[in-house]
Amino acid sequence: MAMKTLVKNCPFCKKVVEQRAYAVWGRQPTEEDKWLFGTPMKLCPHCGKLYIDRDMQELAITGPRKQDTAVVGPASLRLGLMGGVLGGLLLALGQTTLALIAFGVALATLVADVALCPTRRRKLAAEKIASQKRLSDPDYARALKRAGYDIPQEYLDGKKEEQK
Ligand SMILES: [Zn+2]
């Protein structure tokens, strides 16, 4: 796993508006790795202009990625595997106490992820409803369409009702 830093500048005043890290799982980063779910419409805090952030995805249109819904995320899975391998190695070397610690950390990592899974899914579900609500405004839907997002026609027509 590697962390990459993403720095974004306002398209109008060019000042830095956002800086965050995102994880890449042992391969070349793709556009999807940078995604966050939320509204792509952002207000620049420096010049006050509205701009579109193409890394933001509306969950009502773009479904969650595999890592968003997985019971155990790829990061925890790797950490768990590493702990398991390390524990096995230590056990082979006769370091029982250290081996147990390594196994314990591995297990705790996996258990924590499984335990947090319902919370993560609830957040996704809440974000999906918020996304449908935003898109139920045809002006908003059309603005995103103009920005290059693939918006279904029913949102553009304003016929898509908010789903319960
Ligand atoms: Zn600006």
Side-chain angles (χ1 to χ4, degrees), residues 10-15 17 44-49:
C10 167
F12 301 105
C13 68
K14 314 290 179 208
K15 283 185 181 153
V17 282
C44 172
H46 306 290
C47 67
K49 283 193 177 135

Side-chain angles (χ1 to χ4, degrees), residues 2-154:
M3 296 306 283
K4 300 254 175 202
T5 309
L6 191 63
V7 180
K8 291 190 192 177
N9 303 83
C10 167
F12 301 105
C13 68
K14 314 290 179 208
K15 283 185 181 153
V16 175
V17 282
E18 193 188 348
Q19 199 166 356
R20 63 178 162 89
Y22 64 99
V24 182
W25 322 107
R27 51 173 170 75
Q28 284 299 308
T30 64
E31 285 303 306
E32 274 193 28
D33 291 321
K34 299 180 199 167
W35 284 4
L36 285 181
F37 293 109
T39 175
M41 286 213 184
K42 292 202 174 165
L43 204 60
C44 172
H46 306 290
C47 67
K49 283 193 177 135
L50 203 63
Y51 68 95
I52 298 275
D53 182 346
R54 287 305 308 261
D55 295 327
M56 297 299 291
Q57 299 291 329
E58 284 288 3
L59 203 48
I61 296 165
T62 310
R65 296 160 292 186
K66 233 190 267 169
Q67 66 250 46
D68 297 316
T69 50
V71 175
V72 176
S76 304
L77 202 61
R78 267 166 191 256
L79 206 65
L81 282 177
M82 262 157 36
V85 170
L86 184 68
L89 227 72
L90 288 165
L91 207 60
L93 293 170
Q95 303 278 346
T96 316
T97 310
L98 288 178
L100 285 177
I101 293 171
F103 283 136
V105 169
L107 194 66
T109 306
L110 297 178
V111 168
D113 237 30
V114 172
L116 282 173
C117 181
T119 312
R120 279 186 282 127
R121 291 195 176 166
R122 244 193 333 269
K123 275 187 192 161
L124 273 182
E127 175 53 39
K128 187 167 182 182
I129 291 168
S131 177
Q132 283 165 345
K133 204 167 187 168
R134 284 193 292 273
L135 285 160
S136 65
D137 175 356
D139 288 333
Y140 177 83
R142 282 184 214 120
L144 288 194
K145 173 87 177 170
R146 275 197 300 277
Y149 281 85
D150 195 11
I151 309 286
Q153 192 60 41
E154 60 260 39

